[in-house]
């Protein structure tokens, strides 16, 4: 009988089977991969030829990782960093929400509930309404804050897609009196760069209860625009005080009459005075004649 060694599997199910010297065992090998498979009954004994044992895959040197292990390690580190970043953002947003809730000037606040929010768990934009302004904070890796005075809002509307109506979500669109007040809110990139183009609008996108937000804004905007109109009229009248009556609808005061013209001296009296000056020798005959011609020519 051959000594214990790896020999061709007589059952044909595997390449090699281990012969213990006394009988076939369950240890098998296929292309260098070892496994276990109980031998069928009544396997014939091996021949005397001995087959060398299958090669054992070389292990990686101690302290070094294969490329698959390194790739997995990098992926795990990336996921850990992403989770830490999301947690930090969530903490920052929670702190900001608490500050807004405690501020007595806050009348409403909300956030964008779009696909990005659902995927990351963090809103890409947050909104706040105070007594005189609409505030917008946007960005993930950085935050851009902008505000619009209520008096600058010229018109308002709500946009709702079909899929938004069932969730009571929509966009509140604010058309502005001056396009310079509206910045492109989609221009804030993940690298932190900001596109400075203007749109003339501010959009509170994907907010809950958009019509309730519109109902809140309507009287605030109307009051703010009325105050701004009065303020502008006051400034105009300060610079142009003569327009005060016209601005208030009162008739303009009549213009003051010109001052009365001084009475012309009597011509005969002037001639008599010239003759007296000539007779007294104060005026020569030539001077008398010149003055007389002047008076008569006038």
């Amino acid at each position: 009988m051959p000594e214990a060694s790896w020999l061709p599997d007589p059952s044909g199910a595997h390449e090699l089977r281990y012969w213990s010297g006394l009988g076939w065992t369950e240890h098998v090998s296929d292309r260098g991969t070892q496994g276990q498979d109980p031998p069928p009954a009544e396997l014939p004994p091996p021949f005397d030829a001995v087959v060398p044992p299958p090669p054992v895959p070389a292990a990686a040197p101690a302290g070094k990782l294969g490329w698959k292990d390194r790739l997995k390690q990098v992926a795990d580190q990336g996921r850990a960093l992403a989770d830490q970043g999301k947690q930090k953002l969530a903490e920052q947003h929670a702190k900001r929400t608490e500050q807004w809730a405690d501020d007595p000037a806050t009348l409403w606040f909300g956030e964008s509930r779009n696909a990005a929010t659902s995927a990351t768990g963090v809103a890409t934009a947050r909104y706040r309404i105070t007594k005189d302004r609409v505030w917008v904070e946007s960005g993930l890796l950085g935050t851009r804050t902008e505000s619009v005075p209520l008096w600058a809002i010229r018109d308002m509307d709500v946009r709702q897609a079909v899929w938004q109506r069932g969730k009571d979500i929509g966009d509140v669109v604010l058309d502005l009196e001056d396009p310079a007040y509206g910045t492109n809110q989609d221009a804030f990139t993940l690298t932190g760069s900001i596109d400075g183009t203007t749109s003339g609008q501010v959009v509170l996108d994907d907010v809950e209860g958009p019509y309730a937000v519109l109902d809140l804004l309507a009287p605030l905007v109307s009051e703010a625009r009325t105050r701004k109109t009065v303020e502008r009229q006051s400034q105009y009248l300060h610079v142009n005080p003569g327009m005060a009556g016209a601005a208030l609808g009162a008739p303009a005061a009549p213009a003051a009459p010109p001052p009365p013209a001084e009475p012309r001296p009597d011509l005969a009296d002037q001639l008599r005075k010239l003759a007296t000056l000539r007779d007294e020798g104060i005026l020569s005959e030539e001077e008398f004649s010149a003055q007389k011609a002047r008076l008569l020519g006038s």
Side-chain angles (χ1 to χ4, degrees):
M1 288 288 183
E3 297 180 356
S5 61
W6 288 94
L7 301 175
D9 185 6
S11 68
H14 302 281
E15 291 183 1
L16 303 175
R17 184 177 292 274
Y18 192 76
W19 170 260
S20 67
L22 299 176
W24 295 106
T25 67
E26 69 275 13
H27 301 292
V28 295
S29 174
D30 294 285
R31 297 183 180 180
T33 302
Q34 298 182 16
Q36 292 185 354
D37 184 17
E42 303 298 333
L43 284 179
F47 298 100
D48 292 338
V50 177
V51 178
V56 179
K64 294 185 178 181
L65 298 175
W67 68 271
K68 291 184 179 180
D69 293 330
R70 288 197 300 269
L71 185 61
K72 183 177 182 299
Q73 188 177 48
V74 170
D76 292 341
Q77 291 175 352
R79 282 192 293 268
L81 290 175
D83 291 340
Q84 291 177 2
K86 289 169 58 177
Q87 182 178 359
K88 186 175 181 180
L89 284 173
E91 291 174 354
Q92 291 176 349
H93 294 173
K95 183 177 180 181
R96 193 64 165 159
T97 299
E98 184 178 356
Q99 291 175 347
W100 285 354
D102 294 339
D103 187 349
T106 300
L107 303 179
W108 174 87
F109 63 89
E111 61 184 23
S112 176
R113 296 186 174 273
N114 51 27
T117 304
S118 302
T120 62
V122 179
T124 56
R126 291 157 301 284
Y127 313 108
R128 178 190 182 207
I129 298 175
T130 61
K131 298 176 182 178
D132 60 348
R133 287 181 176 270
V134 175
W135 298 82
V136 178
E137 287 187 357
S138 57
L140 285 176
L141 301 184
T143 300
R144 179 185 62 186
T145 301
E146 57 185 336
S147 66
V148 176
L150 295 180
W151 60 261
I153 300 175
R154 178 173 51 87
D155 194 11
M156 299 178 291
D157 196 8
V158 170
R159 293 188 310 216
Q160 271 189 317
V162 176
W163 65 269
Q164 291 177 315
R165 294 173 184 171
K167 301 179 180 180
D168 195 21
I169 293 176
D171 303 338
V172 179
V173 183
L174 309 179
D175 291 316
L176 305 181
E177 181 179 277
D178 186 350
Y181 282 105
T183 59
N184 187 348
Q185 294 172 244
D186 295 332
F188 193 94
T189 65
L190 293 180
T191 61
S193 62
I194 299 177
D195 183 0
T197 58
T198 59
S199 63
Q201 287 185 340
V202 167
V203 180
L204 313 184
D205 64 312
D206 297 304
V207 297
E208 289 185 335
Y211 285 100
V213 176
L214 194 69
D215 292 340
L216 171 66
L217 276 173
L220 296 174
V221 170
S222 177
E223 182 181 356
R225 290 183 64 83
T226 300
R227 287 199 306 266
K228 190 64 176 180
T229 301
V230 173
E231 178 184 344
R232 287 171 173 170
Q233 289 179 349
S234 300
Q235 292 175 350
Y236 177 76
L237 296 178
H238 179 73
V239 177
N240 303 275
M243 299 299 295
L248 297 176
E262 296 183 1
R264 293 176 60 86
D266 184 63
L267 181 60
D269 185 53
Q270 288 184 337
L271 291 174
R272 281 194 296 269
K273 288 180 180 179
L274 285 176
T276 301
L277 293 174
R278 181 197 60 185
D279 294 342
E280 292 177 355
I282 297 175
L283 294 177
S284 65
E285 189 65 35
E286 291 78 6
E287 292 173 337
F288 171 76
S289 298
Q291 292 294 331
K292 180 180 178 182
R294 185 181 63 79
L295 289 173
L296 294 175
S298 62

